[in-house]
Amino acid sequence: MVLALSSCRTSYLSRPPRLGFIVRPSHQFLSFLLCPGLQIPRLSVLCAQPRPRAMAISSSSWELPLVAVCQVTSTPDKQENFKTCAELVREAARLGACLAFLPEAFDFIARDPAETLRLSEPLGGNLLGEYTQLARECGLWLSLGGFHERGQDWEQTQKIYNCHVLLDNKGSVVATYRKTHLCDVEIPGQGPMHESNSTIPGPSLESPVSTPVGKIGLAICYDMRFPELSLALAQAGAEILTYPSAFGSVTGPAHWEVLLRARAIETQCYVVAAAQCGRHHEKRASYGHSMVVDPWGTVVAHCPEGPGLCLARIDLRYLRQLRQHLPVFEHRRPDLYGTLGHPLP
């Protein structure tokens, strides 16, 4: 187990799977900025070594809900991918997480559109059934962040949806969101991506869903480039935005963390981003760097290189204090620039 501790990300070796932890910087300055005497917990992630006295944490912080963010390297082999994901989910349950996030294309990453269509399944297929059983077995919620779904219009369209599925701890599907922004781009050095060759854009957003860790707004990867979506989810009550992804090796270093932190800051939400990493096959590789960002824009958990998981505690009291003392949504001026993110019905 590799633990990355503190902002300098020092690590030591024990046993797999790998877990990543980042200690959030002291909130002394933030507390002073918001309100003298305001008490904000200084840590929101697990830590595996004794803390310096200055970083002491009240026992109540350990009662905050724990989330696990899983990082994998999917291939065209669906059963091997499931074995890898199931191992991480079971480890997350063992460590006390109540919700585990899996990345976009957790089910598989194919070599071409024809293989993508051939490997796809309906939501009622065998693979999702295995994840339903896994959620029940482990007793935790699962964010399945980008399932290649054969929808009800499969026979007519011969195309699929990129579907974010949320399961509760009994294995029931409580929400589905179909990716609305498809990644049709050509980035020099990264290779072309034409998601619309095999995928239909989703018709709507999904209202935020109440979970044991807070209200979650569902999105997928390329959606993070469109702040209108995150603003709409925040105005509809989201406290956590989730962007399961398979970012490329060129756009990743340049944009990944910047975009995630921007979405967190502008919406004052936690942002959870489970990511694909490494080389999937000879045609594709992903950037990795799964992370959790708090509403202040601080990266509070981060996966090291390779498959593994990181853990973070979600502190909704901290989120509400921040929104109270920095009430940006009350200060918006739609009379000047319109409503960028229309509230969901």
Side-chain angles (χ1 to χ4, degrees):
M1 184 184 297
V2 175
L3 304 181
L5 299 169
S6 83
S7 58
C8 64
R9 302 179 187 179
T10 312
S11 64
Y12 70 88
L13 182 63
S14 178
R15 64 177 180 84
R18 297 201 282 182
L19 307 178
F21 305 86
I22 297 294
V23 176
R24 181 162 62 193
S26 171
H27 278 294
Q28 289 176 345
F29 173 73
L30 175 57
S31 299
F32 173 78
L33 176 66
L34 297 180
C35 178
L38 177 65
Q39 297 299 311
I40 300 177
R42 290 187 174 86
L43 297 177
S44 64
V45 299
L46 287 181
C47 186
Q49 67 181 24
R51 295 172 194 78
R53 188 183 183 105
M55 284 187 165
I57 183 170
S58 66
S59 60
S60 61
S61 293
W62 295 99
E63 299 168 4
L64 299 172
L66 186 69
V67 299
V69 186
C70 301
Q71 182 165 282
V72 301
T73 307
S74 292
T75 71
D77 189 329
K78 290 161 68 173
Q79 279 307 306
E80 280 301 312
N81 296 336
F82 174 74
K83 286 172 60 178
T84 299
C85 291
E87 179 184 1
L88 291 173
V89 168
R90 291 186 178 105
E91 183 69 4
R94 187 186 69 81
L95 292 168
C98 57
L99 197 156
F101 294 83
L102 292 173
E104 181 181 31
F106 67 94
D107 50 352
F108 65 86
I109 290 183
R111 296 176 180 85
D112 53 53
E115 187 175 43
T116 295
L117 295 174
R118 180 174 60 81
L119 293 174
S120 64
E121 296 185 17
L123 290 181
N126 292 335
L127 186 61
L128 202 64
E130 291 185 276
Y131 280 96
T132 294
Q133 183 176 344
L134 180 66
R136 284 199 300 263
E137 170 198 325
C138 295
L140 82 172
W141 288 55
L142 294 179
S143 163
L144 305 177
F147 175 75
H148 296 86
E149 179 206 2
R150 291 188 183 184
Q152 294 181 347
D153 54 2
W154 164 253
E155 294 295 334
Q156 294 76 37
T157 65
Q158 292 296 294
K159 287 190 174 184
I160 61 174
Y161 293 96
N162 189 342
C163 184
H164 189 159
V165 183
L166 187 65
L167 302 179
D168 67 15
N169 58 352
K170 297 179 181 178
S172 299
V173 175
V174 295
T176 55
Y177 161 74
R178 292 164 179 88
K179 188 177 181 181
T180 51
H181 301 98
L182 300 185
C183 189
D184 287 353
V185 301
E186 296 195 19
I187 306 295
Q190 188 170 284
M193 172 72 71
H194 299 292
E195 192 172 11
S196 63
N197 285 348
S198 60
T199 305
I200 303 170
S204 62
L205 303 184
E206 177 73 17
S207 295
V209 182
S210 295
T211 76
V213 300
K215 285 192 172 182
I216 291 183
L218 303 179
I220 301 173
C221 196
Y222 192 56
D223 287 333
M224 76 177 68
R225 294 186 180 274
F226 303 90
E228 298 90 344
L229 184 151
S230 59
L231 289 169
L233 291 172
Q235 289 175 330
E239 297 161 320
I240 302 159
L241 302 177
T242 180
Y243 293 101
S245 299
F247 244 58
S249 56
V250 173
T251 53
H255 299 160
W256 172 250
E257 183 175 324
V258 175
L259 286 169
L260 294 174
R261 294 179 70 189
R263 297 294 83 85
I265 292 167
E266 71 195 5
T267 62
Q268 297 178 319
C269 288
Y270 280 90
V271 167
V272 179
Q276 292 281 345
C277 68
R279 181 152 293 280
H280 309 288
H281 44 69
E282 65 278 5
K283 294 183 178 180
R284 188 168 173 186
S286 293
Y287 178 62
H289 294 79
S290 302
M291 65 179 63
V292 180
V293 185
D294 75 9
W296 186 249
T298 302
V299 177
V300 296
H302 184 279
C303 277
E305 297 296 326
L309 59 84
C310 60
L311 301 167
R313 294 192 182 274
I314 303 299
D315 188 350
L316 295 182
R317 179 174 174 269
Y318 165 58
L319 177 147
R320 290 163 189 150
Q321 287 176 330
L322 179 58
R323 290 180 175 183
Q324 177 184 352
H325 291 277
L326 191 59
V328 293
F329 280 92
E330 296 177 18
H331 299 157
R332 303 192 75 85
R333 290 291 305 275
D335 57 311
L336 299 180
Y337 44 71
T339 302
L340 296 179
H342 293 281
L344 300 178

